[in-house]
Every structure is written in C-alpha cells, then in structure tokens.
Amino acid sequence: FQSKRAASTIYFEAAGGMRCCDLKLGTGKLAQKGVLVCIHFEGKRLNGKVTESTWTVASSPPCIEAGRTPDFPALGEGVLGMRAGGRRELIVPPRMNRPGVEEIMTYTIELITVSIGSEVAEP
C-alpha cells in the first residue's frame, strides 16, 4: 500500500510488515530501542478519515519507550532509527496496531524529544 500524500517517496519495510516513509529527517538525537521518546501522532483509515490525533487533544506529546510498546507496537517500532525533529509515515497492518483494530491504518508520527539516561534531547 502506498500513501497518496507521499506516493513518490521511498518506503522501507519495518517490523511486523509495517511500511515506513521518512517525510522529514530530524537532526537531533537518535531513537534507539529502550530510550524514552516523546511523539505526536495522527492515525487515519485508508479512506483518509482521522481516527485519533495527539496534535489536537494533547497539551504535551505522549512519551513511549522506543521499540517496546506491547499495547501499540507500531508506534514503538515506528520511531526506531528516527532523529528528534523528524516526521515519518507508517502504513500499519492490523497485527501491529492497537488491540481490537482489525484494519490497515496510516500514522504520521513526529519525534519531539529523545531521552537518553537523564539527558533530554530536543531537535
């Protein structure tokens, strides 16, 4: 599946059959497995309908552990290899989505901060 918004951009395959496309490369710290990252994200159905967005409801971005989010594997795996300040589109199969979501979804994620130990790095 290719996104209409980024159809001319190169996608790569990630964990669980997820497809990823870097929309904007960040210049900050690298998100590696096990580090705490704060992100904004928006989820859409393939018809373009937005199902959730932290940009519109969260006063501060939610923080997750990169590579280790069993309740929402796509977000945890999707940030791996990104740098703070980057933006990535994910095409997520049902097995990588939240429990109970049985359809392919697209997510746009923006990596806001990467915390390594007691250090917090912003773009």
Side-chain angles (χ1 to χ4, degrees):
F1 294 94
Q2 296 289 326
S3 166
K4 291 179 183 174
R5 185 180 53 190
S8 63
T9 310
I10 298 172
Y11 281 75
F12 60 92
E13 189 151 341
M18 185 168 53
R19 308 273 300 153
C20 304
C21 171
D22 287 317
L23 303 174
K24 176 185 172 195
L25 296 176
T27 57
K29 294 282 186 184
L30 182 67
Q32 299 174 355
K33 193 169 196 163
V35 301
L36 186 66
V37 297
C38 297
I39 62 171
H40 271 300
F41 69 93
E42 179 178 81
K44 293 182 181 181
R45 292 194 165 103
L46 290 181
N47 67 8
K49 182 180 179 187
V50 174
T51 59
E52 61 186 319
S53 176
T54 62
W55 278 290
T56 59
V57 297
S59 58
S60 61
C63 298
I64 61 171
E65 189 175 353
R68 297 184 182 143
T69 51
D71 55 331
F72 200 168
L75 291 185
E77 294 292 332
V79 298
L80 293 175
M82 289 181 71
R83 291 188 176 275
R87 191 177 277 229
R88 181 176 282 173
E89 182 174 74
L90 314 175
I91 300 175
V92 180
R95 69 181 168 278
M96 293 292 291
N97 217 321
R98 293 183 189 273
V101 178
E102 299 298 326
E103 62 184 299
I104 296 170
M105 300 277 292
T106 63
Y107 288 88
T108 301
I109 56 176
E110 183 174 357
L111 182 53
I112 307 298
T113 61
V114 176
S115 301
I116 300 172
S118 60
E119 172 188 349
V120 175
E122 298 191 23

